[in-house]
Amino acid sequence: MKKLNFSRSSSQSLVANMAQQGFAMLQFMLVVRLLTPTDLGEWAMFLTLTSMVEMGRLGLVQNALVHFSTHQPVARPQLASAALVFSLGANVVGLLLLLGLSVGMSDIWQMPGLSHLFWCYAPLSLLQAVLKTLEGLRMADSDFRSLVISYTVFGGFYLVFTLFLPFFTSSVSNLALLAGQFAATILSLGILYFYQKKNWQFGKIEKQWLRQMFRFGRYGMGTNLCSMLFQRADLFLLSAFVAPSAVATYNVATRLISYLDFPLNALGLALMPRLSAVHQAQNTEGVARLYEKSVGGLLALTLPMTVGVCLAAPVLVQIVAGQSFLAAAPLIQILALAGLIKPFGRVFGVTLDAIGQPIWNFRMLLLSMVITLIFNVLLIPKAGVWGAAVASSLSVVVTILLGQRLLQRWLDVRLESVVNAVFESYKVTYLVSKR
């Protein structure tokens, strides 16, 4: 396998996620103005539930594919076939669960259109499973340039489609938005396939790799699902206690906060192959130093962003969602404060997967889910959206502190080295700006 250029792959990964998150933000700015508050609340719940299926699929396939591609590059075609099988299978199971859930919960959440949306989502989800498998193969090779193309094609087409919807219909519906996703997925899949056709090598489906990928990936799937529940338990409980319009307001706040997370997600993707390679060389100290440097660099990036969001929250809400959602501004400030320590949590999870401890990553996310549910059950019935914001923030802080204690079991990670890495990042940025 070719030597990884971490600096280059990190920058390309960041650009890929900037494209993905940038188009997602522009799309959200359009949708929040085109849908009624009730429809927006239903659309937010639909996206939350379908993203759980997608994250479960990615957890089952993506990290296992990167891990085994790094350690067993000669088996790459067989790994690719196993990844495709698991992607499609996970989607089928997820769809069945969503359809069953919608039957029992639509009335409780006051969202009767959810079941119809899930039926229409079924063919789209299978196409997305294939697309994400192809993207995962490029990620395993640290080819983030292909991801930039895929994300740009999907996001750009979907944005243009949504932009022109009001010219062809009197009122934009959730089903129309779903049709736009379907068309964008087909276009992105076609372009990505033909652009990187020579790199798609699928081999015979072997039981050996199916077993090994499942044994590794099941913890990643559990981790991702627990992570989603950890992040979205507030929305599920809110939907049972407040009206869909209030859910829409809270969704505005959480969506804006999610854009702060894109550097963490982008650099985390690029960090995984590098950590796996260092661990493969049996360099435990190197893993610890890379962990410290990575957390410090992410902290240096997120600190000014978080401060800016806290100060400009009302202005940002008006720009992104409009005057009618100004109530989301104080919620954003509460959620942003907890985001200050998220770099520790993001790199922690990636590191555990890279050093062959996915089961502990899963256990920590399971614990975090329990903590989140406890805080939300205690606070949401009494304080509504305010209780949800406080509960989510407390859960993040408690979980990350516990995770750092656990990490000391395998790595000699020092907090002072992380702090030094933050200042070193600012120092390098200052020196570069002075040239």
Side-chain angles (χ1 to χ4, degrees):
M1 177 173 285
K2 64 183 180 180
K3 184 179 180 180
L4 294 173
N5 185 332
F6 182 57
S7 177
R8 181 180 179 183
S9 62
S10 295
S11 61
Q12 290 179 344
S13 176
L14 188 60
V15 171
N17 274 264
M18 285 178 65
Q20 187 179 42
Q21 294 294 333
F23 281 117
M25 182 176 68
L26 293 173
Q27 179 72 24
F28 180 71
M29 291 172 66
L30 274 177
V31 168
V32 78
R33 288 167 170 82
L34 294 175
L35 297 179
T36 65
T38 299
D39 283 346
L40 181 62
E42 186 173 275
W43 184 245
M45 181 60 71
F46 167 77
L47 292 179
T48 297
L49 292 171
T50 54
S51 65
M52 291 189 68
V53 173
E54 294 169 9
M55 290 301 293
R57 180 188 66 229
L58 287 176
L60 180 64
V61 175
Q62 185 172 285
N63 286 351
L65 182 59
V66 172
H67 176 81
F68 289 117
S69 294
T70 302
H71 291 74
Q72 299 286 341
V74 295
R76 173 60 179 276
Q78 292 76 23
L79 289 169
S81 298
L84 184 58
V85 169
F86 280 128
S87 292
L88 293 171
N91 255 64
V92 171
V93 174
L95 276 170
L96 293 175
L97 291 175
L98 286 182
L99 290 169
L101 180 67
S102 65
V103 172
M105 299 301 294
S106 294
D107 292 338
I108 295 175
W109 287 334
Q110 305 173 57
M111 298 176 182
L114 271 182
S115 181
H116 191 200
L117 280 174
F118 288 141
W119 279 108
C120 295
Y121 171 71
L124 170 62
S125 70
L126 298 177
L127 283 176
Q128 288 184 339
V130 177
L131 175 62
K132 294 305 177 182
T133 301
L134 298 184
E135 291 178 352
L137 291 171
R138 305 317 309 140
M139 190 181 303
D141 288 340
S142 294
D143 178 18
F144 293 98
R145 185 169 179 267
S146 296
L147 297 188
V148 174
I149 295 173
S150 179
Y151 295 159
T152 301
V153 169
F154 179 90
F157 179 87
Y158 188 31
L159 181 66
V160 172
F161 180 93
T162 307
L163 187 63
F164 281 93
L165 269 180
F167 295 99
F168 297 96
T169 180
S170 57
S171 61
V172 176
S173 67
N174 292 336
L175 288 176
L177 295 176
L178 196 60
Q181 285 191 3
F182 189 88
T185 300
I186 293 176
L187 181 61
S188 183
L189 182 60
I191 289 179
L192 184 63
Y193 175 77
F194 286 108
Y195 176 73
Q196 287 289 340
K197 187 175 182 179
K198 61 181 183 296
N199 292 314
W200 310 132
Q201 297 179 1
F202 291 89
K204 181 181 178 181
I205 299 175
E206 296 183 358
K207 292 182 179 179
Q208 169 196 352
W209 288 115
L210 289 173
R211 284 196 300 266
Q212 290 197 43
M213 286 193 70
F214 179 74
R215 287 172 183 168
F216 189 100
R218 59 185 174 177
Y219 298 114
M221 179 176 64
T223 297
N224 278 7
L225 290 176
C226 288
S227 178
M228 286 294 298
L229 287 172
F230 170 60
Q231 297 174 32
R232 307 311 285 163
D234 47 7
L235 185 65
F236 297 143
L237 288 171
L238 267 178
S239 300
F241 287 97
V242 301
S245 57
V247 174
T249 298
Y250 189 75
N251 182 58
V252 169
T254 55
R255 286 297 294 268
L256 278 170
I257 287 299
S258 71
Y259 299 134
L260 285 177
D261 293 340
F262 88 83
L264 311 184
N265 299 328
L267 296 179
L269 291 176
L271 186 61
M272 176 69 180
R274 176 60 175 164
L275 281 167
S276 293
V278 174
H279 183 256
Q280 173 70 2
Q282 297 182 342
N283 187 356
T284 303
E285 183 178 353
V287 174
R289 302 293 81 77
L290 183 55
Y291 173 90
E292 294 164 351
K293 184 178 180 180
S294 300
V295 173
L298 288 175
L299 279 171
L301 186 62
T302 57
L303 279 171
M305 293 173 60
T306 301
V307 172
V309 166
C310 286
L311 294 176
V315 177
L316 289 174
V317 171
Q318 290 190 62
I319 294 173
V320 173
Q323 186 77 20
S324 57
F325 288 98
L326 268 180
L331 302 176
I332 290 172
Q333 293 166 335
I334 295 173
L335 294 168
L337 291 175
L340 287 172
I341 63 170
K342 279 185 179 180
F344 286 95
R346 179 55 178 158
V347 182
F348 166 79
V350 173
T351 301
L352 287 185
D353 283 343
I355 65 175
Q357 295 293 338
I359 186 171
W360 277 104
N361 195 13
F362 168 69
R363 288 170 178 171
M364 282 304 302
L365 264 298
L366 187 61
L367 176 62
S368 71
M369 184 185 69
V370 173
I371 293 172
T372 302
L373 288 173
I374 291 173
F375 280 132
N376 276 284
V377 168
L378 291 175
L379 297 177
I380 286 178
K382 297 180 179 179
V385 292
W386 288 90
V390 173
S392 295
S393 298
L394 287 175
S395 303
V396 169
V397 173
V398 171
T399 301
I400 289 178
L401 290 177
L402 292 174
Q404 297 312 297
R405 293 286 297 176
L406 175 65
L407 191 63
Q408 296 293 331
R409 173 180 296 192
W410 299 285
L411 301 175
D412 181 24
V413 176
R414 297 184 291 268
L415 180 60
E416 59 269 22
S417 297
V418 174
V419 175
N420 290 336
V422 174
F423 286 108
E424 185 64 26
S425 296
Y426 288 138
K427 180 181 178 181
V428 171
T429 302
Y430 173 76
L431 291 176
V432 170
S433 66
K434 293 291 286 183
R435 291 178 181 175

